[in-house]
Amino acid sequence: TIDEKLNNLSLSGDASKPNEQTTYPHLNQLTINEYTPGQGIGSHVDTETAFDDGLLIITLNGGIVMEFRKVATDSNNDGSDGVGATSNNVKKLVYLPPRSLVLLSGDARYKWEHMIVSRTTDTINGEVLPRKLRVSLTLRTALALPKGVGQTALPLPLYESALFPPRWGQLSDDALANSQRDSGGNDAQQKSAERSDLVTPATESKHVHAVYDAIATQWHHTRGKRGVLWPGATRFLENLPRGSLVADVGCGDGKYFSAIQAAHSYVIGTNISEPLLKTALAAGAAAADVSDSTGKKGLESGPQFQKLSPEQRASSAHPAVAVADCIHLPLRSASCDAAICIAVMHHLSTEGRRIRCLAELRRIVRVGGLINVQAWALEQETDSRRKFHGTDVLVPFNAQPKYLQAVAKDDEVGNDKSQSVPSSTDGTKGKGVAQMMAEQYNGAEFDSKKNLVVFQRYCHMYRKGELEQLCERVPGLEVMESCTTERARTFGMAMLPYKSRAPLVEMVVHCASYPPPLCSPLTWSIATSPP
């Protein structure tokens, strides 16, 4: 094992403290390198003046043999430039298998150079192993310049991005106009039509995005805090293999995050509403801040949180989330094992955007992965309190004024500015808070009987078989299960790209590679935070 090899390595000059434990609380820099078969790196010692003691190297996907050479004592070369004279007679070879971590500290950090020889195979215990693509994560403590002569260099301060959660931009109307003006011919017109699906229609901006931004706090209070989850989604998550990477597309306030973690999977969440995502961040931080041995934190944690281990609870404080539209995701193709898209697709107002959403879900999920989609259905049972008279409707949401932020009413969606509740001198004398709030929000109404602010949410109600027909128009998707549940309120669909896992029939379909994304992938900036 890697532990046995490291124990036998004995690169340290002090073997008197074999069980001494050292922590590295100031790690503040991460380097990610990709090595294809045949690539290597020259012999070196990481610059002492730039990095503190303790280098942690994590190996992923493919193993590699790392070579260590002891730096010879040379009074003319102090090694400060990262390259020193080496003793060719003192050499150690260590195999770093996938999912391993190696720590270079003390003499191993300063008195031994390390390198990877450029070749396509490695010989391990007499067996020749071909190299695979290797990804290495190297964690270091970067040092600031000393403030004065003779003073010790301190670790660089830790910073987090001022923009969090990160925002994945949408195509602007100007960009769309330019693309349409420059287009010519049928192919170009088709591409222009595809790009037009990326532009948010006014209906969604006013009756979906603006509404959820306004009601985010109340939505989290009535859904996320209480752990209101759709049973079909939780069953889907519980049946995923351990260690699955799940994309929660349209994650809202992150109410499914704990269910994903409880299933021993990992989650990346995206949502178009930044206020909703911020409730997920606040809830994660509050739930992780447990103070008693039971780990309970009232409603803030939700019932799913109680199933998590202490390590899982701690990780929920910093969920991986980004502001992004479901039809334009900041994830690499085939990067996820599964995806869920719960109560999202009924908020898409055009067929092109619904197909684009399904295509994005298929793009980010690997071949053989699963996708679960649920949306509202048109057909309702006779005893259902929901009665819809068409496929495209406005569904009211009754908001309590105490959960709303005061905003300045603006004629255009998305241009609201925060302000305090108007005073009586603004013509609001005699009006209640709910009425004043309703007048400030564009499109909101005041319910005088209930003293509530009423928002109208756009919803597309799916006819029976409609979602399945949309899936048929997306290459690489195969419907594995389709049903109506909870009083015919939702369609639950599990879709498998390219390969059937039906119990009685097995089918393998050879297909072309994933199409390239319409826009370039998002470059993530990695920020560390104090432990």
Side-chain angles (χ1 to χ4, degrees):
T1 65
I2 185 64
D3 290 335
E4 293 172 341
K5 293 181 181 295
L6 290 178
N7 289 337
N8 295 329
L9 189 56
S10 299
L11 300 184
S12 175
D14 185 2
S16 61
K17 303 177 181 179
N19 297 321
E20 182 179 4
Q21 294 184 354
T22 305
T23 60
Y24 301 91
H26 301 294
L27 293 171
N28 56 12
Q29 194 253 358
L30 171 66
T31 300
I32 304 176
N33 285 324
E34 182 181 84
Y35 295 88
T36 59
Q39 288 185 324
I41 188 170
S43 185
H44 68 283
V45 172
D46 289 62
T47 307
E48 297 181 21
T49 56
F51 302 106
D52 203 357
D53 189 23
L55 305 178
L56 288 82
I57 304 172
I58 300 172
T59 296
L60 300 177
N61 194 64
I64 203 82
V65 169
M66 182 169 285
E67 182 174 311
F68 293 86
R69 295 176 180 268
K70 190 169 185 180
V71 180
T73 302
D74 187 350
S75 59
N76 296 324
N77 191 337
D78 60 4
S80 61
D81 59 356
V83 180
T86 61
S87 174
N88 293 329
N89 296 326
V90 185
K91 181 171 66 174
K92 299 282 187 178
L93 302 178
V94 180
Y95 177 58
L96 308 182
R99 300 174 62 85
S100 66
L101 181 148
V102 61
L103 166 65
L104 304 184
S105 180
D107 286 358
R109 156 74 174 94
Y110 296 109
K111 297 184 179 180
W112 289 75
E113 293 185 353
H114 56 279
M115 67 177 296
I116 297 174
V117 179
S118 299
R119 55 177 177 244
T120 57
T121 61
D122 286 311
T123 302
I124 312 298
N125 296 328
E127 182 181 0
V128 178
L129 300 179
R131 286 186 181 178
K132 299 194 300 182
L133 176 71
R134 172 179 177 262
V135 176
S136 72
L137 312 179
T138 304
L139 293 150
R140 303 179 178 89
T141 300
L143 299 174
L145 293 175
K147 294 184 178 180
V149 179
Q151 293 189 3
T152 303
L154 299 177
L156 287 170
L158 296 167
Y159 294 99
E160 286 204 26
S161 171
L163 179 61
F164 192 83
R167 177 175 290 275
W168 184 230
Q170 297 172 262
L171 188 65
S172 66
D173 292 333
D174 291 340
L176 174 64
N178 293 334
S179 66
Q180 291 176 335
R181 183 173 58 252
D182 297 337
S183 64
N186 294 333
D187 292 342
Q189 290 177 3
Q190 180 179 356
K191 292 180 180 179
S192 177
E194 291 174 353
R195 294 185 69 84
S196 68
D197 294 331
L198 295 173
V199 179
T200 304
T203 299
E204 294 178 34
S205 295
K206 181 177 181 179
H207 292 291
V208 180
H209 301 178
V211 172
Y212 281 101
D213 285 353
I215 67 175
T217 302
Q218 181 173 342
W219 187 268
H220 173 64
H221 180 78
T222 57
R223 272 80 171 175
K225 278 188 176 183
R226 301 180 183 181
V228 180
L229 306 181
W230 291 11
T234 55
R235 288 194 298 269
F236 173 83
L237 295 171
E238 290 168 354
N239 290 326
L240 292 176
R242 291 172 64 100
S244 296
L245 178 59
V246 182
D248 189 349
V249 177
C251 65
D253 60 353
K255 64 181 181 180
Y256 286 96
F257 288 1
S258 293
I260 294 171
Q261 290 179 304
H264 302 283
S265 295
Y266 303 91
V267 60
I268 299 176
T270 64
N271 201 78
I272 193 62
S273 173
E274 183 173 344
L276 267 177
L277 278 185
K278 287 185 175 179
T279 65
L281 296 173
D289 184 21
V290 293
S291 56
D292 58 356
S293 59
T294 63
K296 295 183 179 180
K297 194 69 174 179
L299 290 176
E300 190 66 49
S301 59
Q304 291 290 332
F305 184 81
Q306 309 306 326
K307 301 178 182 180
L308 304 184
S309 66
E311 293 78 11
Q312 290 172 323
R313 292 171 183 168
S315 66
S316 67
H318 296 281
V321 295
V323 178
D325 203 337
C326 62
I327 49 85
H328 189 200
L329 297 173
L331 300 175
R332 293 178 58 185
S333 298
S335 59
C336 300
D337 299 299
I340 60 174
C341 188
I342 310 300
V344 174
M345 285 195 60
H346 54 240
H347 290 314
L348 300 178
S349 60
T350 68
E351 186 178 77
R353 287 173 62 82
R354 296 165 200 149
I355 294 174
R356 171 76 189 193
C357 177
L358 292 173
E360 276 291 90
L361 291 169
R362 191 267 302 156
R363 180 185 65 81
I364 66 173
V365 174
R366 65 172 175 80
V367 174
L370 290 169
I371 304 168
N372 183 265
V373 176
Q374 297 192 33
W376 279 16
L378 176 64
E379 293 82 7
Q380 300 287 309
E381 292 185 357
T382 55
D383 60 344
S384 173
R385 65 185 179 90
R386 299 284 190 185
K387 299 296 181 183
F388 303 114
H389 301 288
T391 56
D392 296 280
V393 296
L394 294 177
V395 179
F397 181 91
N398 297 324
Q400 299 181 39
K402 66 180 181 179
Y403 292 116
L404 299 177
Q405 298 292 327
V407 296
K409 189 173 181 181
D410 197 305
D411 292 334
E412 295 188 18
V413 176
N415 293 331
D416 294 339
K417 300 178 181 178
S418 297
Q419 68 170 22
S420 60
V421 177
S423 63
S424 59
T425 58
D426 298 326
T428 59
K429 186 176 181 179
K431 297 180 180 179
V433 175
Q435 185 176 357
M436 289 188 290
M437 285 289 189
E439 291 175 353
Q440 290 179 49
Y441 280 95
N442 187 17
E445 303 169 355
F446 172 57
D447 187 333
S448 58
K449 293 182 179 180
K450 299 180 180 179
N451 198 34
L452 297 172
V453 181
V454 182
F455 293 91
Q456 299 293 341
R457 293 180 294 159
Y458 167 81
C459 290
H460 174 78
M461 302 301 163
Y462 286 88
R463 298 182 183 275
K464 188 174 182 179
E466 184 178 355
L467 269 177
E468 293 88 335
Q469 291 173 0
L470 292 177
C471 291
E472 292 175 357
R473 298 175 61 180
V474 180
L477 284 183
E478 180 178 359
V479 178
M480 303 297 297
E481 176 185 346
S482 177
C483 61
T484 56
T485 60
E486 299 178 4
R487 297 185 177 181
R489 188 164 62 90
T490 64
F491 280 120
M493 302 182 61
M495 292 169 287
L496 176 65
Y498 299 106
K499 183 177 180 181
S500 172
R501 288 182 180 172
L504 299 178
V505 179
E506 258 186 55
M507 180 176 64
V508 177
V509 181
H510 297 279
C511 300
S513 60
Y514 286 101
L518 196 58
C519 299
S520 59
L522 171 65
T523 300
W524 291 86
S525 59
I526 300 174
T528 58
S529 58

